[in-house]
Amino acid sequence: MSKDFSFLNEDFDDLRDLLQQFENLRAGKSHSFLDEDSFEQIIDYYDEQDEMPIALQAAEIAIAQFPYSSALLLKKANLLIETKKYKEALHLLDKAALLDRNDINLYILQTDVYLALNQHQKAADVLNEQIDQFEGEDKTELLLELADVYDDWEEFEKVFDCLKMALEHEPNNEEALHKICFWTEFTGRNEESIRLHTWIIDEHPFNHLAWFNLGTAYQGLKLYEKAIDAYQYAVAIDEKFDYAYRNMGDAYIRLRKYADAIEVLQKHLEIAKPEDVIYEAIGHCYERQRKYTQARYYYRKASHLSPNDDKLFYKIAVAYMMEENWDNAVKSLLNALKINKQSAEYNMSLGECYLQLGKEKDALLYFVNAVRIRPKSVQPWQELIKGLYVFGFLEEALDQLAAAEEKAGRKPVFQYYRAAILIAQGKTKEGLLHLETALQQAPKALKKLVELDPAILQHVSVVDLIAQYRKKR
């Protein structure tokens, strides 16, 4: 059965008649009587069409005919604010206040003028003086307006205070519920938010936004189990509440419950527009479960939506590297580097892949690139020296070790590497002295030596020294 939209045509015809009568009035021709409401419609029409001179003319003619209409004075004041004639607007608003002090638009327009003039204190004073004079939706609207004033003024704690008052007055106000969620996180006032939303839920148990905000407050305090409980109530009330599934997925990831996270993020995908961050999060969950094929599938879906995000290509590469699929990892890393050439991490990873493939020239080239990008960072030097060591360039490795200590500082890992290089050169006595110093400085970093060359533990003298050191401890 088709719907009847004939009333829309009637409204359009009525407006067209009003505009024709107004044009006749402007031209000095005969016209029908135009009342206050008709003039308001005419002013609004020309304002919406950006015909400001005609809108202002309509307002002036209307006020000349109805000089005691506060509504028409407010219409003209609004037009003057739009054209940045703030003093004239304030003068009109003062006149309107003498006629009717019960129209909240009067105070909202005064606030707009003071904000435009960068007079935040006056804007706040106007609203603070009037809030207690109003009840119901009007009071809520003034509190929301005051919150916006404090936001513009960068008085962020007071923004939260206003939104809290608005919700204490009208607990189901959606605008206030949406806004306080952001400002709770921004100000860190999670405990207050928990108390407020618990009270709202006690009064209105089916308020899904209140449950959601309760969840985000718990999440802000890292109470992830409680956050998940609150989100589950939110989606029980509104099963298409996509943000609740999204946040619940994040909470499950924080708890390392990756299967649960995948389930709720898949639910998000069923009800909301696909997003790269959701696909990426699912990929992350599969990667943590060591299901690398599935991880790559979702990282690729994310990259189709965000083709210039180099991090996604890198994550695909890492998933290949975890399976020691070096050739495919190289392809993904080269894609990442096309987008971001200045990533030391991508260069190091490419160097590692080529090292595993035995391509010494390529490996060393990318390790050198990483060092050039981050010369004061230990890890790129570590990778370069490791590459030189693996490919047997021991003298060059010692030279680069000296350069590394000069640029990045004398770190324990370099002491271990020097020991390994000297032992590999047959300078066992000298190498053991460096190993002893390294063990004294940073015994926990011994694993760096073993990662560099597991075969070093086949040297009896090395094993004896490590054993002696452990006995001394």
Side-chain angles (χ1 to χ4, degrees):
M1 181 178 167
S2 62
K3 291 187 178 180
D4 181 10
F5 290 107
S6 59
F7 67 93
L8 292 175
N9 293 328
E10 288 168 18
D11 288 347
F12 180 74
D13 289 341
D14 290 346
L15 177 61
R16 191 169 55 188
D17 286 346
L18 281 180
L19 295 172
Q20 185 58 58
Q21 295 307 324
F22 177 66
E23 288 302 321
N24 291 343
L25 171 61
R26 287 176 73 204
K29 297 178 183 176
S30 63
H31 58 86
S32 302
F33 174 75
L34 295 170
D35 59 17
E36 282 182 64
D37 287 344
S38 298
F39 272 115
E40 285 187 49
Q41 287 183 62
I42 292 162
I43 294 163
D44 287 343
Y45 171 79
Y46 286 115
D47 184 15
E48 287 163 11
Q49 298 299 313
D50 287 329
E51 298 274 6
M52 193 58 67
I54 304 176
L56 275 166
Q57 187 186 14
E60 284 159 9
I61 293 169
I63 290 166
Q65 290 193 24
F66 302 97
Y68 302 111
S69 167
S70 63
L72 289 171
L73 289 170
L74 293 180
K75 288 283 182 193
K76 186 178 177 186
N78 185 48
L79 297 174
L80 291 170
I81 293 167
E82 287 182 40
T83 52
K84 301 185 180 179
K85 294 174 181 173
Y86 302 121
K87 284 187 180 178
E88 290 178 49
L90 278 176
H91 175 68
L92 271 187
L93 292 169
D94 288 341
K95 283 179 70 175
L98 295 172
L99 297 167
D100 182 4
R101 300 191 65 83
N102 295 319
D103 187 339
I104 67 162
N105 291 312
L106 167 66
Y107 307 109
I108 290 171
L109 289 173
Q110 285 178 332
T111 302
D112 289 344
V113 173
Y114 289 129
L115 284 180
L117 295 170
N118 213 26
Q119 295 177 6
H120 294 91
Q121 186 66 64
K122 283 187 177 180
D125 289 346
V126 165
L127 296 169
N128 275 313
E129 286 165 14
Q130 299 303 325
I131 281 167
D132 290 337
Q133 309 306 314
F134 290 89
E135 283 302 322
E137 291 179 7
D138 285 350
K139 183 168 186 169
T140 307
E141 190 170 345
L142 289 177
L143 282 164
L144 291 171
E145 188 74 18
L146 184 57
D148 288 343
V149 170
Y150 285 130
D151 182 5
D152 198 66
W153 200 0
E154 298 188 0
E155 292 278 351
F156 300 132
E157 297 293 336
K158 289 181 179 178
V159 178
F160 182 93
D161 293 337
C162 287
L163 294 170
K164 184 181 173 189
M165 283 190 281
L167 286 168
E168 286 167 347
H169 176 67
E170 190 185 332
N172 289 322
N173 185 275
E174 289 199 9
E175 185 180 348
L177 284 164
H178 282 299
K179 286 184 173 178
I180 204 166
C181 185
F182 168 81
W183 287 105
T184 298
E185 184 181 357
F186 190 88
T187 58
R189 289 165 71 173
N190 293 296
E191 291 90 345
E192 280 179 80
S193 184
I194 288 167
R195 287 194 293 275
L196 172 66
H197 289 96
T198 301
W199 169 77
I200 292 172
I201 288 161
D202 286 343
E203 299 292 316
H204 305 277
F206 295 102
N207 185 326
H208 65 290
L209 289 173
W211 280 110
F212 176 78
N213 289 356
L214 182 64
T216 62
Y218 278 129
Q219 201 154 351
L221 294 173
K222 300 184 179 178
L223 298 170
Y224 300 118
E225 297 280 7
K226 288 189 172 184
I228 288 164
D229 286 345
Y231 295 138
Q232 284 176 336
Y233 276 108
V235 297
I237 297 162
D238 178 4
E239 62 182 19
K240 294 192 175 178
F241 195 172
D242 54 334
Y243 278 98
Y245 290 111
R246 182 195 201 105
N247 280 20
M248 208 190 311
D250 179 70
Y252 276 126
I253 289 169
R254 306 277 181 180
L255 292 169
R256 297 184 173 85
K257 294 185 174 181
Y258 300 115
D260 292 321
I262 290 167
E263 186 181 338
V264 295
L265 292 172
Q266 292 281 17
K267 186 70 179 174
H268 181 284
L269 288 174
E270 287 172 21
I271 59 177
K273 186 180 176 184
E275 287 182 68
D276 54 342
V277 290
I278 302 297
Y279 285 134
E280 185 180 348
I282 295 172
H284 171 78
C285 292
Y286 278 120
E287 187 181 332
R288 289 292 182 173
Q289 293 178 317
R290 300 184 180 182
K291 295 176 179 178
Y292 300 114
T293 303
Q294 292 97 317
R296 287 192 295 272
Y297 172 78
Y298 281 98
Y299 289 148
R300 282 200 182 91
K301 285 181 86 71
S303 73
H304 291 151
L305 293 178
S306 188
N308 293 318
D309 188 343
D310 48 287
K311 294 192 302 298
L312 293 169
F313 289 108
Y314 177 66
K315 289 184 175 189
I316 293 167
V318 169
Y320 277 126
M321 290 171 76
M322 296 304 291
E323 294 177 330
E324 299 185 5
N325 188 336
W326 309 111
D327 285 314
N328 279 324
V330 165
K331 290 173 189 172
S332 291
L333 285 166
L334 289 171
N335 283 328
L337 269 176
K338 278 180 194 171
I339 301 165
N340 180 6
K341 290 183 174 63
Q342 294 305 306
S343 168
E345 198 167 16
Y346 302 168
N347 278 284
M348 282 187 284
S349 295
L350 255 174
E352 173 67 19
C353 290
Y354 283 127
L355 184 147
Q356 295 292 340
L357 290 166
K359 297 183 178 180
E360 65 181 51
K361 193 173 177 181
D362 291 321
L364 295 174
L365 171 67
Y366 284 104
F367 289 143
V368 168
N369 282 349
V371 166
R372 180 181 50 76
I373 293 164
R374 278 182 17 210
K376 293 185 179 179
S377 180
V378 172
Q379 196 180 357
W381 286 105
Q382 202 177 306
E383 296 299 327
L384 173 59
I385 295 158
K386 176 184 167 186
L388 290 166
Y389 180 89
V390 169
F391 290 123
F393 300 112
L394 300 179
E395 281 300 328
E396 182 63 23
L398 280 176
D399 289 345
Q400 293 301 326
L401 201 46
E405 289 180 325
E406 186 183 327
K407 296 280 188 184
R410 298 176 70 83
K411 306 294 182 186
V413 64
F414 295 150
Q415 194 75 271
Y416 280 109
Y417 277 19
R418 181 172 275 108
I421 295 164
L422 290 167
I423 290 166
Q425 287 180 319
K427 299 173 185 175
T428 307
K429 194 172 180 181
E430 193 182 346
L432 289 171
L433 286 171
H434 283 287
L435 177 56
E436 190 171 5
T437 305
L439 285 165
Q440 288 167 356
Q441 287 178 350
K444 288 183 179 176
L446 174 63
K447 63 183 180 183
K448 297 289 185 185
L449 177 71
V450 180
E451 285 169 7
L452 175 68
D453 185 3
I456 204 161
L457 292 178
Q458 292 169 9
H459 285 257
V460 176
S461 51
V462 170
V463 175
D464 286 347
L465 179 59
I466 293 168
Q468 282 172 30
Y469 181 79
R470 284 179 173 161
K471 276 181 190 173
K472 284 178 189 174
R473 290 185 70 203

